[in-house]
Amino acid sequence: MTEEIAVVPGDGIGREVTPVAVDVLDAVGDFEFVHAEAGDEVADEQGTPLPAETREAVETADATLFGAAGETAADVILPLRAAVDSFVNVRPARTYPGVDAVQPETDLVFLRENTEGVYAGHEAELADGVTTCTRVVTEEASRRLAEYACEYAPEGFTVAHKANVMRVTDGLFRETVENVAAEHGVETDAALMDALAMHLVENPADYDVVVCPNLAGDVLSDLAAGLVGGLGLLPSANIGPERGVFEPVHGTAPDIAGDGVANPAAAVLSAAMLLEFLGHDAAGERVRSAVEDVLEDGPTTPDLGGEATTRAVGDAIREVVR
Ligand code: ATP
Ligand code: MG
């Protein structure tokens, strides 16, 4: 049966890199692509950044490839994650041959809780000049994340937390994740998230898979992006029980949008994660290794010191993958 992939390029360089990822998917598999709009441009035209038909396309497709959204990003990506009931955001950060990195030894994967913590949206103004934010941590969400982590990293993982200060919420997070790991016979080590930030900068090679509460995962994975040499290389996956939304970590890059020189690697690597999610492991590996070859041998886009266009890099990746 032909699998259906919703394609939501969004705004800015999302419109330039997503078509490259679609071409690469088309070269390795038999998919039906359903194109849908989201973001600033469609908000101007239709009055909403996430039209109902886009949400439906994402809810029914086997997987979604998303590009980027500008000002409306929060009103697009949060509902899209919810549409697939995404409970984990998978963010690999590694270096590639031929790409300058602050820490060339970096090879990390962050598994970030994707539904709660301080991002649950419970903020209030109690009085003039006094505001609060309610941090939500549930055993259910922590357990779901931990079960995914055990499957993803049976050789063990690090649990980031701040349970010495947030005793109740991160206490529950840490205890639940550690219990689930113990049930599965998976080894864990716990790390205070602030100290972990320092250790990741100094010795990223000491870590492998890091399981994080929502905010910590957001911050630590961006920190790791800084270690590996650029946003144009970082893919991500929002995984739900049946569906997923796959997107580059970068945004719309307004400074280069429209110039046709955005690096398509992050979008294509996101497509490789999509392939693996759908069970096409060999195709995913082919795409990943094609991206590696092109990063090493060129052509490359200006962010990596080259002069090639997005299209030229995309064509080179497709040439290798074929
Ligand atoms: P947004 O508000 O949509 O997140 P932003 O201003 O934060 O936009 P990002 O997309 O996050 O922009 O990019 C930050 C910087 O990294 C910009 O200078 C951008 O040009 C660069 N950058 C991001 N993605 C890429 C890419 N794929 N190729 C080349 N440069 C990129
Ligand atoms: Mg940004």
Side-chain angles (χ1 to χ4, degrees), residues 11-13 17 40 68-71 73 222 230-234 248-257 261-267 301-304 310:
D11 302 310
I13 63 167
V17 295
D40 297 357
E71 297 290 313
D222 266 27
L231 274 173
L233 297 174
L234 289 142
V249 167
H250 63 69
T252 58
D255 51 336
I256 57 165
V261 294
N263 188 347
T301 42
D303 55 309
L304 300 180
T310 307

Side-chain angles (χ1 to χ4, degrees), residues 112-133:
R112 165 186 169 195
E113 200 288 318
N114 216 12
T115 61
E116 51 187 34
V118 288
Y119 289 171
H122 302 293
E123 290 199 299
E125 184 170 2
L126 291 189
D128 212 18
V130 183
T131 56
T132 61
C133 171

